[in-house]
Each structure stands twice: as C-alpha cells, then as structure tokens.
Amino acid sequence: QDPAQASMPAYFRFLTIMAFHVFLQEKVDLAVMEVGIGGAYDCTNIIRTPVVCGVSSLGIDHTSILGDTMEKIAWQKGGIFKPGVPAFTVAQPERPLEVLRDRALECGCPLYLCPELDAFEAGNRALELGLAGGHQRSNAALALQLSRTWLQRRGYEGTGVLQDVPPGAELLARRTVPLAPAFRPSDAMIQGLRDTEWLGRTQVLPHGPVTWYIDGAHTTSSVQACVRWFHQAALS
C-alpha cells in the first residue's frame, strides 16, 4: 500500500484487477472468470462482451448480499448475461429458472438449458469424470457446452468431431428455456473430463493407517452433495 494513498481495493477486487493485468500482459488465449459473489454487482462483471456465460446449479448462499430466496439469487446470477452473448444453465427449480429466463429476455441474451450428461454419451460410451460425486455430472455438461461454444465462436469448429445429437423425446418436453442440442464430444473433451484433478475436492488421500476423505462445502445443498459422495466413497 502506498503511504500517500490511504485507500486500497477490497482483497477480492484487488485480486480481480491483478488477474486482468496478468491476462493482458501474458496475452492469454482464453480466461475463465468465475464471479466472486452473485453476479450483477460483482467486481468480475465488467466484461462487456464475454464469449459465453454459464450459470451452474443455484444454491442459498451469501443471503445478506444476494437475498434470502432462490428467486432473488437467480436475479443476481442473471446479471452476468449480456446482449447477444449465448448463456447456458443446468436444471434449476422452476421459479428460479423463470427468473433467469426473464433476465435473459430483458437484455437480449440467448439462454439455453444444458441436456443431462447422459445425452452426450452417444453409442453407449460412458464419459468418465476425474471428479467424483453425482453433482459433477451437471457441471461437466455445462463445461462441455461452454467449451463447444467458445470453439464455435472462435472459428475452431469444423473438424468434424463435434456433431449435434438430436435430444431424446423425453428432453423435448415444453420448457421455459430452450434445450441446447447435445453433441458428440471430441477426444480432447473426453480426455479433459477424465483427467480433471482438483486437489481438496472429493479427494481420497491414504496416509499410512489412515485414509482421509477431503472435500469442502459451505451451503446446505453442497454439504448434502459432500455427504452423498463420502457415503458412496466409504462404501466402496
């Protein structure tokens, strides 16, 4: 801190500014920016034209800032939507999903719902995930859609490996948000999902006579997901 300059940005804002500086200096090809809290008023939300946006599974968190209902939190999350920039989300409760849809309509953002990961497993080829836990399947489906959209909008599509797969009849039911088409993941995508490693997240760490099961959670829904993972891991 400069002694002559008394004020400093808050810690997360400082990290955000520093991150943008580093990305620009290093001329990165791709930066994945995750919001700190919420979206609409988050300091990361200064990118006017991102390539694509994603909203993962909503949960009750930071209620003093974001609001105490899923609908209020969905409104905040929808604040990252930008005109003409495609956005994807995963299965959400009906009313929060309607809030996301309305936010997208307000700003002219094309919003799509990701199919379940099963829809990407054409030809009965199961996709292996490096991250354990059933909740990671919706995260993986979202990651596939975001990656594919980036490739398309940057002109890398056309290799013939990413072909649209028509959704099954059960996925064509009337929805408030249109369903994005599934596609056949490329070999690189399949490898990426399989090789993903996140230390401290659903990690099993044998240490002599003791085996540690390490995970983190700070909302009711994420604690429940953590418990489900541990229960399954302990059984096997």
Side-chain angles (χ1 to χ4, degrees):
Q1 181 174 348
D2 186 343
Q5 187 71 24
S7 64
M8 280 281 283
Y11 179 63
F12 186 80
R13 292 184 182 184
F14 176 74
L15 288 184
T16 302
I17 294 167
M18 186 174 69
F20 282 127
H21 173 71
V22 171
F23 297 158
L24 290 168
Q25 287 288 110
E26 297 300 321
K27 298 179 172 59
V28 299
D29 299 309
L30 166 64
V32 180
M33 297 295 299
E34 182 184 9
V35 300
I37 295 177
Y41 305 119
D42 194 80
C43 63
T44 59
N45 196 27
I46 62 170
I47 306 171
R48 295 178 181 175
T49 52
V51 176
V52 61
C53 294
V55 177
S56 57
S57 184
L58 295 171
I60 298 290
D61 195 12
H62 304 295
T63 52
S64 62
I65 299 172
L66 305 182
D68 55 2
T69 67
M70 290 279 276
E71 290 80 7
K72 291 176 182 177
I73 291 171
W75 188 92
Q76 295 278 356
K77 299 289 184 183
I80 66 170
F81 297 157
K82 300 293 183 292
V85 174
F88 295 88
T89 190
V90 297
Q92 309 281 9
E94 184 177 354
R95 290 184 64 189
L97 184 62
E98 289 175 353
V99 172
L100 289 176
R101 177 204 61 193
D102 293 344
R103 290 284 268 163
L105 288 172
E106 284 171 13
C107 74
C109 159
L111 176 65
Y112 302 96
L113 195 63
C114 293
E116 299 289 338
L117 193 62
D118 297 3
F120 296 91
E121 299 177 332
N124 298 321
R125 183 181 183 181
L127 291 170
E128 298 176 40
L129 300 186
L131 298 178
H135 55 290
Q136 296 294 354
R137 292 183 65 81
S138 71
N139 289 337
L142 180 60
L144 286 173
Q145 292 286 2
L146 298 177
S147 303
R148 201 262 184 117
T149 304
W150 188 88
L151 289 168
Q152 284 179 321
R153 289 171 74 92
R154 284 291 180 261
Y156 292 111
E157 189 88 330
T159 56
V161 294
L162 299 176
Q163 306 161 5
D164 284 344
V165 177
E170 73 282 359
L171 293 176
L172 291 173
R174 182 173 179 81
R175 296 173 183 269
T176 59
V177 175
L179 191 70
F183 58 88
R184 301 184 196 282
S186 67
D187 290 342
M189 289 176 171
I190 293 170
Q191 180 182 350
L193 292 177
R194 184 181 63 236
D195 294 348
T196 298
E197 188 176 309
W198 191 353
L199 302 181
R201 177 69 73 204
T202 61
Q203 182 182 4
V204 180
L205 189 64
H207 186 73
V210 177
T211 299
W212 297 90
Y213 293 82
I214 307 171
D215 200 6
H218 65 283
T219 67
T220 302
S221 57
S222 60
V223 168
Q224 290 168 344
C226 176
V227 170
R228 285 194 298 269
W229 162 72
F230 172 69
H231 182 67
Q232 189 62 42
L235 283 175
S236 57

